[in-house]
Amino acid sequence: MADAPAEIEAKVLDIISEKAKIDRERLVLDAKLTDLDIASLDVVEIIFALEEVFDIQIPYNANSADSEFGTIGDVVSAVTGLVEGKA
Amino acid sequence: MRRVVVTGIGVVSPLGLTLDRFWAALTAGRSGIGPIGSIPTDRLTVKIAAEVRDYDPADHFDPRKVGFLDRFSQFAVVAARAAVADAKIAFSPETAARTATVVGTGVGGLHTLDESFQKLYRDNATRVHPFTIPRLMINAATSQVSMELGLTGPAFSVASACASANHAIGAAFHMVRGGVADLALTGGSEACITVGTMKGWEAMRVMASDTCRPFSKGRGGMVLGEGAACFVFETLDGALARGATPIAEIVGFGMSADAGDITAPDADGAARAIAAALADGGLAPADIDYVNAHGTGTAANDATETVALHRAFGDHARQLCVSSSKSMFGHALGAAGALELAATCLALRDGVIPPTANYREPDPACDLDYVPNEARTRPIRTAISNSFAFGGLNAVLALQRVEA
């Protein structure tokens, strides 16, 4: 059974928190990745973990990173969309 | 100190298997990047590369010998033969003993490794081919070149990822200049367009899906390439004594380590390598006319390299012509610096600067003259060729035109 959106969001935030070593409380949806000091290689590793956990493929190119994932909310909604699209 | 000149060049490239074809494509701004044809692409997200096409091992090797050579070693041997033919040199046993063989390779025989492991893990084979180890070892290209040409002087391989060839060529240059050897057969070779390698690069999220657009706004990343380039180096006096025609003179070699990040480029490390190459060659920044850039086409490299050029050249940076040949033959990793040295030698010889192909529009972060899309005819006296590797290992060669 597919996860509910709230569960997906919680899992995504857990993964970001773990991979980027950022306290879970700081991960609010409108926080910008750059403000959280999440480097592009951290983003690559986070996306790898999200793809593995949710069994999805997230299109992402580090060369145009600024136009793709600006905020934590962008990441959450991309994953939610892909997981729901799969169901 | 002895002066060191290039008297022979051979290439195996996505732009052709001869130096003439290679140079014709580069000066025409014609890219060798296209849909991958040599491996299955059904599991790949990025389905483009710069492959060596129209290459059949049977055209170049005895069927009884080819089993010992992975594709990367084959490329090195074919390029080495062509370099020797171009130099019109015959190695006597005495000369061969005074000739160094130094070839750079980033990752070794990945086709062999891929095939062996597929049999072992996927097909549950109980054994792999007995030549698996001699084919895949990273020094195989150097060894096969020395065996092919009978070169018995100092020989070793150099691995520093994307700077392997420049480190190898620079070491060979210093050996000939310093008298450790009188001649050198040097260059770089790589053939790692395998499913495993492509998946690895895909996972880093730095590959372009359309083409390679170095220094251009909207660039989408690097494109993997393959190939080899080899050179005959000798002393200027030795070359003139045997009636050879020098193509270009190698005058400086500079290295540095970023000692920072394992993948992110560093402007300070790159600028220090450039400055070291100029110092080694007794050159001032204003002496340089042309820079064959590392220019991978990633957002990070091209902006960082631009900062490094500003730092190393100051006001003179604006006078430089800077171009990336990777826009046409992709990023051949351990062979990249060798293919780029070939391009730089020919630019000096002919007074023609190969362009940065696939360029669309200026990026504010890349504010130099990148010779967009069209070759430029301009006499050039002195040039540098940059290679900056993952792992922060930087190597820069400085070259000078040989006046006829």
Side-chain angles (χ1 to χ4, degrees), chain A residues 50-66:
Chain A
L50 293 170
E51 288 183 332
E52 290 281 290
V53 166
F54 291 103
D55 189 24
I56 52 174
Q57 296 248 31
I58 304 173
Y60 173 81
N61 183 336
N63 295 289
S64 48
D66 48 347

Side-chain angles (χ1 to χ4, degrees), chain B residues 315-359:
Chain B
D315 291 343
H316 184 67
R318 304 260 171 219
Q319 310 300 317
L320 296 169
C321 290
V322 180
S323 71
S324 167
S325 307
K326 289 187 179 78
S327 60
M328 291 175 272
F329 52 63
H331 192 349
L333 309 179
L339 290 165
E340 288 154 21
L341 183 69
T344 310
C345 285
L346 298 176
L348 287 162
R349 183 192 70 182
D350 292 355
V352 176
I353 296 173
T356 300
N358 310 316
Y359 188 92

Side-chain angles (χ1 to χ4, degrees), chain A residues 41 44 47 51 58-63, chain B residues 203-207 220-221 263 298-299:
Chain A
L41 212 61
V44 168
I47 288 174
E51 288 183 332
I58 304 173
Y60 173 81
N61 183 336
N63 295 289
Chain B
M204 292 203 70
R205 312 274 177 165
V206 293
M207 298 226 285
T263 59
T298 65

Side-chain angles (χ1 to χ4, degrees), chain B residues 123-161:
Chain B
D123 307 338
N124 282 321
T126 49
R127 62 185 69 81
V128 298
H129 195 278
F131 302 158
T132 301
I133 299 301
R135 280 170 63 107
L136 70 80
M137 59 193 193
I138 208 160
N139 61 306
T142 298
S143 299
Q144 293 291 347
V145 167
S146 77
M147 288 157 61
E148 171 78 16
L149 301 172
L151 304 177
T152 54
F156 55 92
S157 292
V158 175
S160 53

Side-chain angles (χ1 to χ4, degrees), chain B residues 14-55:
Chain B
L15 304 177
L17 303 180
T18 67
L19 197 59
D20 288 344
R21 287 191 177 199
F22 172 79
W23 187 229
L26 278 175
T27 49
R30 196 162 61 236
S31 176
I33 295 166
I36 293 176
S38 61
I39 54 167
T41 58
D42 50 303
R43 299 178 66 192
L44 301 182
T45 307
V46 174
K47 298 173 191 286
I48 59 165
E51 297 172 288
V52 171
R53 296 185 184 83
D54 304 322
Y55 172 82

